Amino acid sequence: AMLTSFLPSAISFIDFLKDGLSKLLHQKVRNDFLILLMVFIPPTVCALIYPSIFLHALSFAGGFIDVLLFGVLPALVVLFGRRLR
C-alpha cells in the first residue's frame, strides 16, 4: 500500500520540481539525480526516524474521510435534493 501511494506522488513531484526549477533558473534542469535526491531523501529520512508515521497519517486520513462521508455528504445530498423540488 505504501509503494502504490508513494511512487505516483514521487513521479509527479519530480516533474513538478523540474518545471519549477527550470522556470526559476531560466534554463532547463539537466541534473536528474539531484532532483531524485530532493524527492526521495526527505521521506526516507522521515520514515527511518519515525517508522509509524504512515499509520498515523492513514488513521488521520481515515477519520477525515469518515467525517466527510457520514457527516457532510448526507447533509449536502438533502440540501441539493430539497433545492431540486
Side-chain angles (χ1 to χ4, degrees):
M2 291 191 327
L3 186 64
T4 57
S5 65
F6 184 66
L7 283 180
S9 300
I11 291 170
S12 62
F13 193 53
I14 289 169
D15 289 335
F16 173 76
L17 280 179
K18 278 184 186 178
D19 291 342
L21 289 174
S22 294
K23 289 181 182 180
L24 182 68
L25 300 174
H26 301 294
Q27 63 184 3
K28 189 172 181 175
V29 176
R30 293 191 178 106
N31 195 354
D32 289 341
F33 186 71
L34 180 63
I35 292 177
L36 286 173
L37 287 177
M38 288 171 60
V39 170
F40 286 111
I41 294 297
T44 304
V45 169
C46 184
L48 289 174
I49 291 172
Y50 191 49
S52 63
I53 196 165
F54 182 76
L55 294 177
H56 288 294
L58 197 60
S59 67
F60 175 75
F64 181 73
I65 294 300
D66 284 345
V67 168
L68 185 67
L69 284 177
F70 300 122
V72 176
L73 197 59
L76 288 175
V77 168
V78 169
L79 180 69
F80 286 118
R82 289 183 181 172
R83 284 188 180 176
L84 293 177
R85 289 184 183 184

